[in-house]
Amino acid sequence: MRIELERRPQASKLFGFLSPLLALALALIAGTIMFAVLGKDPVEALDAFFVEPLLEVWSLHELAIKAGPLILIAVGLCVCYRSNNWNIGAEGQFTIGAVAGSYIPIVFTDWHSPMVLPLMLIAGAVGGALYAAIPALLKAHFNTNEILTSLMLVYIGQLYLDWLSRGPWRDPQGHNFPQSIDFPPEAVLPAIWADSGRAHWGIIFAIVAAILAWFMMKYTLKGFEITVLGQSERAGRFAGFSSRKMVWFGFLFSGALAGLAGISEVAGSIGHLQPAISPGYGFTAIIVAFLARLNPLGAILSGFVLALTYLGGEAAQLSPGISAKAASVFQGLLLFFVLSCDTLINYKIRLVWSRVRGGAA
């Protein structure tokens, strides 16, 4: 007996629309069972995940801080994935974007100018795009699997950041801590409402990017090209579109937004470069993109939902005593159910029974 997936003649539009909500409901049910097995009160755990972070103003600021990079990266991935290019290395592009943007305040310490911050943001976006260009080059010209190459580059980027933070860029006055000098005031993203919390302009960048990407996908020729090539490369060729150029566009676009998210995180939330600058934003943004059904506007809502699980995971470690690993498993369950629901909406499971002939064995 073997299991096969058979494409449905016509997928249900209703279930296609409800798929993210169904996946979220299933993740909540599975999470409830998981917390009960761990010996924790499921109601208390889910309350810590989804309710406690929304009760205080400062907590809402922290929610915006965590949602910013998730939305910004996910918007780039939505466009990239809809073009049928699978960039799994946004975490590495996030890291290299942070490194590239941090070069200016760390190396040119005596340069104090209003141009410092804009140049940092541009350098971060360019750094992320150039790092994403590596798997784009390998796929476009050597037909290399972009999933593997982009994923492996994540670890190279993280090790490079670790080396810089502990070596050439380590603060000589930092009491041997592995971090760079603190950024000067002109190299720090300003807070939106400084009196009530520390949410910065990174969330504004993310929302603006989502709106512009949605407009591009819906109303421009480039958006039409992305959609056609993503659905059928052969049809795109008949229309005169280049799949090779689309590989470059998808990776450079998503890499630039990931790099911008990286430097925004460092310049806005951390204030210096250090070995650990991300709790896995680049990987979680994949969940955000699929939960949004690869819609840039939907990434805003799903980004806040996943940011809530980050913030709730921290709260759950304090009150119910749930480990950070269990919080990560809960995020993984959400991705699993998102992909499962989408698969079962478009395909049906078929059991195939086959007899083994005596001589064939």
Side-chain angles (χ1 to χ4, degrees):
M1 182 189 73
R2 68 179 186 272
I3 300 176
E4 291 184 352
L5 291 177
E6 182 180 344
R7 179 174 285 277
R8 298 180 185 275
Q10 185 175 3
S12 170
K13 292 184 178 180
L14 175 61
F15 278 101
F17 176 76
L18 296 177
S19 175
L21 298 177
L22 179 61
L24 182 59
L26 291 173
L28 291 176
I29 295 171
T32 299
I33 297 172
M34 179 183 71
F35 296 140
V37 170
L38 292 174
K40 309 297 181 183
D41 183 359
V43 176
E44 185 182 3
L46 293 177
D47 179 76
F49 263 97
F50 295 105
V51 179
E52 283 187 22
L54 303 177
L55 300 180
E56 300 288 343
V57 175
W58 68 267
S59 186
L60 294 177
H61 278 259
E62 297 302 312
L63 181 66
I65 289 173
K66 285 182 166 51
L70 288 176
I71 297 171
L72 201 52
I73 299 170
V75 168
L77 293 182
C78 285
V79 174
C80 190
Y81 292 168
R82 286 183 66 173
S83 69
N84 200 29
N85 292 293
W86 301 98
N87 180 10
I88 309 297
E91 181 79 1
Q93 294 140 30
F94 177 94
T95 301
I96 295 301
V99 170
S102 300
Y103 181 85
I104 296 173
I106 292 175
V107 175
F108 299 101
T109 54
D110 296 329
W111 187 30
H112 303 282
S113 166
M115 290 299 297
V116 169
L117 186 57
L119 289 176
M120 287 172 60
L121 298 175
I122 293 172
V126 171
L130 291 178
Y131 205 58
I134 300 174
L137 172 69
L138 293 174
K139 178 180 181 179
H141 297 278
F142 301 98
N143 200 28
T144 307
N145 188 303
E146 73 273 24
I147 295 176
L148 297 177
T149 54
S150 61
L151 180 60
M152 289 188 291
L153 285 167
V154 171
Y155 305 105
I156 296 174
Q158 290 175 337
L159 290 172
Y160 181 60
L161 170 61
D162 188 89
W163 173 74
L164 285 175
S165 302
R166 300 177 189 276
W169 286 3
R170 186 171 63 183
D171 183 6
Q173 308 298 326
H175 305 287
N176 213 32
F177 284 101
Q179 65 182 49
S180 72
I181 60 172
D182 290 332
F183 293 170
E186 62 272 8
V188 175
L189 271 178
I192 301 175
W193 296 288
D195 294 336
S196 57
R198 60 192 196 103
H200 53 77
W201 278 77
I203 185 64
I204 304 298
F205 296 159
I207 294 175
V208 171
I211 295 173
L212 293 178
W214 170 82
F215 182 86
M216 177 189 70
M217 293 298 299
K218 192 170 182 65
Y219 294 108
T220 68
L221 178 61
K222 177 57 71 174
F224 177 71
E225 180 182 350
I226 291 169
T227 302
V228 171
L229 283 172
Q231 293 180 352
S232 173
E233 184 177 336
R234 185 181 180 188
R237 285 200 303 268
F238 279 118
F241 301 142
S242 170
S243 58
R244 178 174 293 182
K245 289 182 180 179
M246 184 52 62
V247 171
W248 282 101
F249 177 82
F251 272 92
L252 293 179
F253 184 84
S254 58
L257 290 187
L260 179 60
I263 187 56
S264 298
E265 178 71 9
V266 170
S269 306
I270 303 174
H272 56 258
L273 207 62
Q274 61 188 31
I277 61 173
S278 168
Y281 287 135
F283 295 119
T284 306
I286 299 174
I287 307 177
V288 174
F290 278 104
L291 190 61
R293 306 303 301 273
L294 303 185
N295 185 321
L297 281 185
I300 298 176
L301 178 60
S302 58
F304 275 104
V305 171
L306 266 296
L308 190 60
T309 65
Y310 268 128
L311 208 59
E314 296 173 1
Q317 293 177 51
L318 298 176
S319 47
I322 294 172
S323 68
K325 299 298 183 184
S328 299
V329 170
F330 186 70
Q331 289 180 338
L333 285 173
L334 184 55
L335 176 61
F336 171 78
F337 285 115
V338 167
L339 297 178
S340 299
C341 289
D342 281 351
T343 300
L344 293 178
I345 287 170
N346 292 286
Y347 296 88
K348 57 184 177 181
I349 298 176
R350 190 160 63 96
L351 299 179
V352 179
W353 298 85
S354 58
R355 294 181 179 179
V356 180
R357 297 178 181 178

